[in-house]
Amino acid sequence: IPIVSYKSLSILSSDLIAIGISVDSDIGYSLLNNDFLKANNFLNYWNKVFKDRFYLSITRMGLYGENLFFNRLMDFSYNKKIIFVATNEVSFLKKDELLSYRSKIAMFDNNNFKLKDFYDNYISNKYFKSENEMFNLFSDIKNLHLLQLLPY
């Protein structure tokens, strides 16, 4: 995975947008560690460098820590300039293709279908959701944009 320094980003950011990846962003890690000051410092940095081109993704995939992050993010974002992008990891196109996808995982991991409940819930949500499904999933969020991440 290529890594770009904060300094390089501040120099080369003029034609770029930035999306903080939910729980896995520097803001997300800070919020999960209950460090609101550090999260605020990161937000200030991103807003300074990218101005109105910084977005923070939010997901509702059933991931461990997702609800805790989401609740802390909502508290943290109150009266702050944060544009949210609703994202959805996509591994299969239709909801009814879950069995095929689970079979693929089982073959790749050389195991059977004994997945932990939280993981099974997570992978069952990795289908390509319609715009309507995404809006319904995130109807409680203001400043929301929709984006679906396709597998690479």
Side-chain angles (χ1 to χ4, degrees):
I1 298 174
I3 297 177
V4 179
S5 69
Y6 285 103
K7 183 179 179 181
S8 295
L9 278 176
S10 63
I11 295 168
L12 303 169
S13 67
S14 63
D15 294 328
L16 301 174
I17 66 168
I19 301 175
I21 306 298
S22 194
V23 176
D24 292 325
S25 68
D26 46 14
I27 294 171
Y29 285 130
S30 299
L31 292 176
L32 284 176
N33 287 311
N34 214 24
D35 192 340
F36 285 74
L37 179 62
K38 194 172 193 177
N40 198 58
N41 289 339
F42 283 124
L43 178 63
N44 288 338
Y45 168 80
W46 292 116
N47 281 332
K48 179 182 174 191
V49 172
F50 288 94
K51 300 180 181 35
D52 60 348
R53 300 178 328 276
F54 174 70
Y55 305 87
L56 188 60
S57 76
I58 53 175
T59 60
R60 287 190 171 152
M61 300 289 298
L63 292 169
Y64 178 77
E66 194 175 78
N67 288 334
L68 175 64
F69 167 74
F70 189 79
N71 291 332
R72 287 185 181 168
L73 178 62
M74 292 302 103
D75 290 342
F76 172 73
S77 66
Y78 187 74
N79 286 332
K80 289 186 174 56
K81 181 187 173 191
I82 299 177
I83 302 170
F84 295 111
V85 179
T87 59
N88 182 46
E89 289 182 45
V90 176
S91 294
F92 50 100
L93 294 178
K94 299 176 189 163
K95 197 174 191 175
D96 62 3
E97 294 175 347
L98 175 60
L99 183 59
S100 298
Y101 182 65
R102 288 183 73 201
S103 299
K104 176 183 166 187
I105 291 173
M107 286 186 289
F108 181 77
D109 289 345
N110 198 23
N111 66 27
N112 58 24
F113 281 32
K114 294 180 182 174
L115 299 173
K116 297 193 182 296
D117 289 340
F118 77 88
Y119 185 73
D120 197 36
N121 183 46
Y122 164 65
I123 66 168
S124 67
N125 283 306
K126 292 181 77 168
Y127 69 94
F128 192 83
K129 292 178 178 62
S130 70
E131 185 175 350
N132 211 23
E133 287 175 295
M134 291 294 285
F135 271 118
N136 290 336
L137 192 59
F138 294 99
S139 62
D140 57 326
I141 307 298
K142 296 176 182 170
N143 297 331
L144 178 69
H145 299 269
L146 296 178
L147 175 69
Q148 297 220 31
L149 300 176
L150 297 174
Y152 47 90

